[in-house]
Amino acid sequence: MNLLELVKARYSCRNYQPTSVEQDKLNYIMECVRLAPSAVNKQPWKFRVITSEADKAKLKECYHRDWFKTAPMYIIASIMHDEEWVRADGKHHGDIDIAIAVEHLCLAATEQGLATCWVCNFDVEKCKQHFTFADNEEPAVLIPLGYAADEMREKNRKAMSDIVK
Ligand SMILES: Cc1cc2nc3c(=O)[nH]c(=O)nc-3n(C[C@H](O)[C@H](O)[C@H](O)COP(=O)(O)O)c2cc1C
């Protein structure tokens, strides 16, 4: 797949097969995450790989959707706010950095024949209660990871002329 084909193939998967993700595929995906760029190369992030039944049960309490429960594993992407770059005008860049790393994850997974979905609409406080985070660590994105059990939908996007000036 070239990059455009890969970008077209990635989609928000909302139903997964129970099949486990192979360790070598997970290693490959996380290497793509590790090499993501970040502001001033601060790499202000941590990624928790959630595979145990106990941890999966806790994570499912943070986002109540039937489809979310189908994933065989999850990754919690968090921002280390004490490590992120802050520009002179006060703008924090951890959100931008974590977004780049998570999309590396999603694209790498797609290339490996796997599927993902960004999930930000979760209960952050419950997540903090269930898992151990550092004081300045913010769980920002939950990413279910596995083999798709649904079909890719057609992409609904703005026209080029609406976004390029
Ligand atoms: C920052 C961000 C947060 C998102 N949060 C959620 C979410 O909480 N739940 C969900 O089902 N999808 C979520 N999505 C997925 C979007 O709805 C999806 O990317 C968008 O509709 C385009 O569809 P596609 O990913 O299939 O191309 C999120 C996507 C992004 C980039």
Side-chain angles (χ1 to χ4, degrees):
M1 273 193 274
N2 65 31
L3 184 57
L4 182 58
E5 290 166 339
L6 182 60
V7 167
K8 285 180 176 175
R10 186 219 54 83
Y11 72 102
S12 296
C13 175
R14 297 192 180 92
N15 194 16
Y16 295 84
Q17 299 176 31
T19 317
S20 300
V21 173
E22 297 87 342
Q23 187 63 49
D24 60 330
K25 289 194 176 187
L26 181 61
N27 294 347
Y28 176 91
I29 291 164
M30 294 317 296
E31 179 66 355
C32 292
V33 169
R34 193 179 71 83
L35 295 173
S38 57
V40 195
N41 201 21
K42 294 283 190 182
Q43 304 163 65
W45 46 47
K46 285 274 187 295
F47 301 90
R48 279 174 180 66
V49 178
I50 305 296
T51 54
S52 76
E53 292 306 321
D55 282 348
K56 287 196 284 186
K58 286 193 263 183
L59 199 62
K60 288 170 194 176
E61 285 181 22
C62 306
Y63 186 65
H64 292 283
R65 301 288 187 283
D66 285 342
W67 69 262
F68 187 71
K69 297 180 183 138
T70 63
M73 65 173 292
Y74 305 86
I75 294 167
I76 304 174
S78 52
I79 304 167
M80 308 302 292
H81 285 294
D82 53 346
E83 296 177 17
E84 70 188 324
W85 181 62
V86 182
R87 202 168 55 193
D89 63 3
K91 181 181 169 62
H92 291 240
H93 282 65
D95 278 338
I96 296 175
D97 294 335
I98 202 74
I100 296 168
V102 170
E103 192 58 7
H104 273 213
L105 191 164
C106 294
L107 289 171
T110 303
E111 190 217 28
Q112 294 300 303
L114 291 156
T116 56
C117 186
W118 281 73
V119 172
C120 293
N121 187 23
F122 64 99
D123 186 333
V124 175
E125 284 313 308
K126 195 162 270 182
C127 191
K128 285 181 175 173
Q129 287 163 15
H130 282 323
F131 300 94
T132 306
F133 294 99
D135 286 346
N136 284 314
E137 182 175 6
E138 177 199 356
V141 191
L142 310 181
I143 308 118
L145 176 63
Y147 289 94
D150 66 359
E151 297 284 324
M152 189 176 70
R153 292 161 304 280
E154 197 181 329
K155 292 225 177 287
N156 177 17
R157 296 292 194 268
K158 293 180 180 177
M160 192 70 82
S161 57
D162 289 338
I163 63 165
V164 180
K165 299 293 173 202

